[in-house]
Amino acid sequence: MPGTGRHAAGIRGADARRITREVLAPHRVSERLLGDVLTVVGELVSNAIRHAGGVTAFDVRHLHDEVAVEVSDASPLLPHAAGTPVTVPGGFGWLLVNTMAARTEISVGADGKTITAYLSVTATMA
């Protein structure tokens, strides 16, 4: 499918970011949007690795007015913003994803969950 970066299980952060750049390059997205999407990709992939046993599927799609980042893992547990003190590293990834994305969706099934973050193309054009 054109404009997609579907990838199977076991993807790591560097590969996910490379795939994202390849998918978005033909669409000539702004540097700001690319940076935001790469940050969301990094957070979702690292959270899946750190908290859910790894990525079971990864996809990034350029849609008409948004970019969709989809990361699946085998855990049915929903992400949450941890009450981590600011003196402790980490604990801000889910908050960051929800701040940068126009919206997020989570679907849970028998094989785990899929998180999809949608970033607006037009919001970063200014």
Side-chain angles (χ1 to χ4, degrees):
M1 175 186 348
T4 186
R6 182 157 300 282
H7 191 78
I11 193 168
R12 306 298 287 182
D15 292 326
R17 288 186 298 275
R18 178 188 49 77
I19 291 166
T20 299
R21 287 179 190 279
E22 290 172 0
V23 168
L24 296 181
H27 301 284
R28 297 185 180 139
V29 300
S30 70
E31 285 297 315
R32 180 175 171 194
L33 175 60
L34 179 60
D36 288 354
V37 173
L38 291 172
T39 298
V40 168
V41 165
E43 290 297 332
L44 290 177
V45 169
S46 67
N47 285 348
I49 293 168
R50 185 176 299 124
H51 303 293
V55 175
T56 58
F58 171 79
D59 192 20
V60 60
R61 297 178 310 277
H62 185 279
L63 308 171
H64 176 68
D65 57 353
E66 59 191 2
V67 174
V69 175
E70 186 174 286
V71 177
S72 301
D73 61 54
S75 173
L77 299 177
L78 298 179
H80 63 280
T84 306
V86 292
T87 55
V88 176
F92 298 101
W94 184 235
L95 176 63
L96 184 61
V97 167
N98 282 288
T99 299
M100 298 181 96
R103 71 183 192 283
T104 55
E105 297 174 355
I106 304 170
S107 61
V108 180
D111 295 331
K113 70 178 166 298
T114 299
I115 298 174
T116 308
Y118 297 90
L119 290 88
S120 173
V121 169
T122 56
T124 60
M125 294 178 88

